[in-house]
Amino acid sequence: MNYLPPPLISSLQHVQGFDEKSFVEVHHSDKQVTSVRLNPRKISKNDSPHDEVKDNFFWLPIAGKVPWSDNGYYLKERPLFYLDPLWHAGVYYVQEPSSMCLEFVLKHLCDLSLPLRVLDLCAAPGGKSTLMAELLSEESVLISNEVIVSRSGILQENMIKWGLPNVIVTQNDPEDFLKLKEYFDVILVDAPCSGSGLFRKDPNSVKEWSPEQVRACSQRQKRILADILPSLKENGLLIYTTCSFSQEENEGISDYLMRQFPLENISLPFPPEWNIVETDSPQAKAKGYRFYPNKLMGEGFFMLCFKKQDGETGAGEKDRKNLKLKNVLSEIKGVQRSFLTQWIDAPDDFSFFLLKDRITGFPESSQHELRTVLSALKVIYAGIGMGKRIGNDLIPDHPLALSIKKNKNIVSEDLDLSGSIKYLRKEPLTLNGIPRGWILATYRHYGMGWLKSAGNRLNNYYPVNWRIRK
Ligand code: SAM
């Protein structure tokens, strides 16, 4: 039985690269593609599978490399990721392979050594944000935004697990970004879409698909793009992606953008052996890129890139001068910050602020960006959540345990697999000969969270709402 909606199949008949027979076949085969992206900023050299082709990364059974990503690997089967402490420690992210091609695009179109302001507008759960964050220089800032409150929590969680300090998580509507005119060097719009590209992974979602839904998505995508384009700098890069096969959400959006805005379409030199199909939009003949699951090892995906051509240079800067930089951000300076230095590597590279009653560390070089973003948007997380000050001590917060910048000399206890699972379930642990005080619980030396030892008692500080429940 064909579970693919006939109106979808007939709408694709004349789309470049569409081959009905193999497209239908691949949707009916049982073959599932599972892939992960390793965290290059966390993985120690000894564990890296790069130098020689290893069969396993710890116990992940590696089947091969994702061709367009330095750290993307196909797996032979899908393990129970939630039972792997390394997944909880942000050592890897489970990501569909087609999406990983964003890496090729950024490396090809941007000078990633420069300090860039980058926005991921539709970011939850954070697959592309984690990827962009690891590619940017330490002087760059990534604003990772999710408008839907109920989805912003998982975005925050995944960004904390990834552990990079130069990230700000916001929860705003695209039109709120009008306060940051011509601010960003790069904007990614990974738009909400009708989702036909993921039917193979989630056949149940077919029930929600309809031609009306495609039209509604297309309208919403245009609104989102019109709202966010003023925030892109002149010569800035707009990347638009969907996981839909429908032309109205893909090449149709290209035509809309070319009609309405001064944008230059950019073509991408994907090597032909990757089998990514280059398409032309019906009117403007703008280049777009289709990922068909019957042509490559990945799900359905679409991508467009544009350079913004207009813009009144400096206009955004003038506007931002009118933003009242938030006073709530009180900086901890001089000797007052000395108690923090034992917790973080290279503390001089950081500014520390008091946000409500918690201390946040943010890269010194980008502290102005944090103030600007705080003045304009609803920030739900930024930098490294360090903890709370009590006298001259710090009660460390969970994000510090997952941060790549935590001090290497923090007292730690490396747990075995069953101890780690107990820890991640927030169950009580008993360990002998543990010194009093805060202890970093690690698995294979990767930080998972905090324990506090009171000599005869050990308290498990794993966040209650992150614990393994199954
Ligand atoms: N970029 C994410 C990743 O790689 O993990 C996936 C993003 S998903 C395709 C699209 C996101 O857009 C969803 O999280 C959804 O909540 C959000 N969204 C829904 N309506 C939106 C709107 N009107 N404006 C901006 N984002 C919206």
Side-chain angles (χ1 to χ4, degrees):
M1 195 191 74
N2 185 1
Y3 71 92
L4 294 168
L8 173 67
I9 299 292
S10 56
S11 73
L12 296 177
Q13 291 303 327
H14 302 292
V15 174
Q16 284 157 294
F18 181 67
D19 169 355
E20 179 174 344
K21 189 167 172 291
S22 64
F23 183 85
V24 171
E25 259 168 32
V26 83
H27 280 88
H28 287 86
S29 77
D30 294 338
K31 227 175 105 194
Q32 285 284 341
V33 176
T34 302
S35 52
V36 296
R37 224 184 61 249
L38 309 184
N39 187 339
R41 304 277 192 99
K42 279 202 176 176
I43 290 178
S44 71
K45 215 174 163 347
N46 289 345
D47 296 337
S48 168
H50 292 335
D51 298 340
E52 47 189 289
V53 181
K54 292 185 186 164
D55 288 340
N56 290 295
F57 172 69
F58 296 105
W59 53 73
L60 295 183
I62 291 180
K65 285 241 30 238
V66 175
W68 41 82
S69 164
D70 273 357
N71 298 295
Y73 291 88
Y74 295 110
L75 301 186
K76 289 184 185 139
E77 61 200 18
R78 194 177 180 87
L80 294 175
F81 292 113
Y82 72 93
L83 289 179
D84 184 357
L86 296 173
W87 177 66
H88 294 275
V91 176
Y92 63 89
Y93 188 94
V94 184
Q95 187 176 37
E96 177 290 304
S98 303
S99 311
M100 297 181 195
C101 78
L102 184 60
E103 176 178 332
F104 175 86
V105 175
L106 286 173
K107 283 182 176 166
H108 187 75
L109 298 180
C110 303
D111 181 349
L112 294 171
S113 65
L114 294 177
L116 299 174
R117 295 172 187 158
V118 178
L119 170 65
D120 183 1
L121 182 64
C122 314
K128 295 182 192 69
S129 271
T130 51
L131 174 56
M132 292 208 282
E134 81 204 22
L135 293 170
L136 300 177
S137 68
E138 295 204 347
E139 294 72 35
S140 297
V141 179
L142 172 70
I143 287 63
S144 184
N145 178 70
E146 171 57 44
V147 63
I148 312 252
V149 183
S150 58
R151 288 173 61 81
S152 61
I154 186 68
L155 174 63
Q156 178 179 349
E157 183 176 328
N158 282 328
M159 297 318 290
I160 288 173
K161 284 182 176 162
W162 215 239
L164 309 189
N166 44 346
V167 177
I168 304 174
V169 182
T170 58
Q171 191 257 305
N172 282 88
D173 194 279
E175 66 183 19
D176 298 340
F177 283 82
L178 271 175
K179 291 190 197 140
L180 293 178
K181 269 197 209 135
E182 295 182 32
Y183 186 69
F184 294 103
D185 298 284
V186 180
I187 295 181
L188 168 67
V189 177
D190 184 29
C193 69
S194 61
S196 45
L198 300 180
F199 282 171
R200 197 161 67 126
K201 281 186 102 169
D202 180 12
N204 279 332
S205 62
V206 176
K207 289 183 211 127
E208 282 144 45
W209 189 92
S210 68
E212 293 70 42
Q213 188 214 16
V214 170
R215 272 193 292 280
C217 285
S218 168
Q219 291 305 323
R220 181 165 58 174
Q221 288 149 358
K222 290 175 189 164
R223 273 199 311 274
I224 292 174
L225 286 161
D227 282 344
I228 205 62
L229 269 167
S231 299
L232 188 61
K233 281 184 189 169
E234 184 178 9
N235 292 322
L237 173 66
L238 171 71
I239 306 171
Y240 171 83
T241 57
T242 71
C243 55
S244 162
F245 292 113
S246 296
Q247 245 192 345
E248 284 148 284
E249 299 178 76
N250 296 338
E251 290 85 355
I253 295 292
S254 226
D255 278 340
Y256 162 78
L257 287 171
M258 298 288 278
R259 228 177 15 248
Q260 298 286 330
F261 305 97
L263 292 167
E264 180 194 329
N265 174 233
I266 306 176
S267 50
L268 296 164
F270 289 121
E273 61 273 21
W274 291 356
N275 283 337
I276 298 165
V277 175
E278 186 177 84
T279 63
D280 301 290
S281 66
Q283 290 159 12
K285 304 292 170 214
K287 299 294 179 200
Y289 298 88
R290 283 182 171 256
F291 293 62
Y292 287 105
N294 49 317
K295 292 190 187 284
L296 46 76
M297 289 256 288
E299 302 309 317
F301 190 65
F302 178 79
M303 172 178 277
L304 289 169
C305 294
F306 292 96
K307 196 183 203 186
K308 184 167 168 179
Q309 287 182 316
D310 72 339
E312 189 195 328
T313 307
E317 293 299 335
K318 264 186 259 156
D319 274 7
R320 278 192 293 285
K321 285 214 172 104
N322 297 329
L323 280 176
K324 285 204 175 84
L325 293 187
K326 285 235 166 161
N327 296 328
V328 288
L329 205 56
S330 67
E331 192 172 347
I332 303 169
K333 289 187 176 164
V335 284
Q336 290 200 341
R337 43 182 273 163
S338 56
F339 76 103
L340 291 167
T341 53
Q342 58 176 302
W343 294 93
I344 194 160
D345 269 347
D348 292 345
D349 294 349
F350 285 85
S351 301
F352 297 102
F353 304 98
L354 210 51
L355 277 174
K356 299 193 183 129
D357 64 340
R358 322 301 292 187
I359 298 166
T360 285
F362 203 75
E364 164 74 23
S365 55
S366 307
Q367 62 152 304
H368 186 75
E369 312 305 336
L370 176 61
R371 287 180 189 276
T372 305
V373 174
L374 266 166
S375 309
L377 301 172
K378 182 176 169 194
V379 171
I380 58 171
Y381 183 76
I384 310 171
M386 298 286 298
K388 190 173 174 178
R389 180 178 190 163
I390 302 279
N392 244 357
D393 287 330
L394 182 77
I395 300 186
D397 276 346
H398 190 65
L400 180 59
L402 290 153
S403 171
I404 60 162
K405 296 292 182 182
K406 64 182 167 292
N407 194 313
K408 307 279 176 296
N409 298 321
I410 290 173
V411 178
S412 63
E413 181 65 27
D414 205 42
L415 305 176
D416 62 10
L417 180 59
S418 72
S420 297
I421 297 292
K422 266 186 152 185
Y423 175 72
L424 295 166
R425 288 189 199 277
K426 204 173 166 61
E427 290 172 4
L429 295 177
T430 36
L431 296 165
N432 296 324
I434 300 285
R436 281 173 174 267
W438 289 102
I439 293 158
L440 180 69
T442 63
Y443 175 70
R444 307 266 186 144
H445 304 289
Y446 293 106
M448 294 187 290
W450 299 109
L451 286 164
K452 191 169 188 197
S453 156
N456 53 354
R457 217 182 50 245
L458 201 57
N459 290 324
N460 183 340
Y461 274 76
Y462 198 68
V464 75
N465 47 352
W466 287 24
R467 73 190 191 283
I468 301 178
R469 292 185 176 88
K470 289 186 203 176

